[in-house]
Amino acid sequence: MRRSTLLVLAVDAPEKHFEGAELEGLAATFREYIKALIPAVRARACVLPEASANRAAAMACIGEAEIRLCLGPGDTDAIRGSVAARLARSVKTLCEHYERLAPR
């Protein structure tokens, strides 16, 4: 999942490197990843003490990702690129939290 975000995050303006349909496809993929990652990260975070900084950070990331899921597709390639990049950042961050909260 994290590697797929590099397609969008490695470039300055995704809309200059991808066509509208490609950006919509990437955004749809990232939305599915987010929907899968949210419960997994939440499950790992909820076993931590409520005062844990890692728990608070993970829950904040989940909240932001849930908000980003509400973003529309956009009516221009610039907006589609921005939406895809925002969703990709959420995927990347959720992956980082998932790995950080792994039982040791």
Side-chain angles (χ1 to χ4, degrees), residues 76-97:
T76 66
D77 281 349
I79 294 172
R80 287 183 197 102
S82 176
V83 168
R86 288 169 193 250
L87 293 169
R89 279 190 220 98
S90 285
V91 170
K92 181 180 176 209
T93 306
L94 285 167
C95 286
E96 290 169 359
H97 284 293

Side-chain angles (χ1 to χ4, degrees), residues 21-60:
E22 292 172 316
L23 290 169
E24 287 177 10
L26 287 167
T29 299
F30 296 147
R31 286 178 199 279
E32 293 304 313
Y33 290 165
I34 290 169
K35 289 175 186 175
L37 284 164
I38 285 174
V41 173
R42 183 176 281 129
R44 287 191 174 181
C46 286
V47 299
L48 298 174
E50 287 198 29
S52 168
N54 283 334
R55 178 184 175 141
M59 297 306 283

Side-chain angles (χ1 to χ4, degrees), residues 1-76:
M1 287 183 189
R2 190 188 308 208
R3 269 187 257 160
S4 69
T5 65
L6 294 176
L7 292 170
V8 173
L9 297 178
V11 296
D12 287 334
E15 66 275 5
K16 293 181 181 175
H17 300 277
F18 299 98
E19 294 179 7
E22 292 172 316
L23 290 169
E24 287 177 10
L26 287 167
T29 299
F30 296 147
R31 286 178 199 279
E32 293 304 313
Y33 290 165
I34 290 169
K35 289 175 186 175
L37 284 164
I38 285 174
V41 173
R42 183 176 281 129
R44 287 191 174 181
C46 286
V47 299
L48 298 174
E50 287 198 29
S52 168
N54 283 334
R55 178 184 175 141
M59 297 306 283
C61 179
I62 288 169
E64 187 171 333
E66 289 172 333
I67 291 168
R68 287 182 175 175
L69 284 175
C70 296
L71 292 172
D75 54 358
T76 66

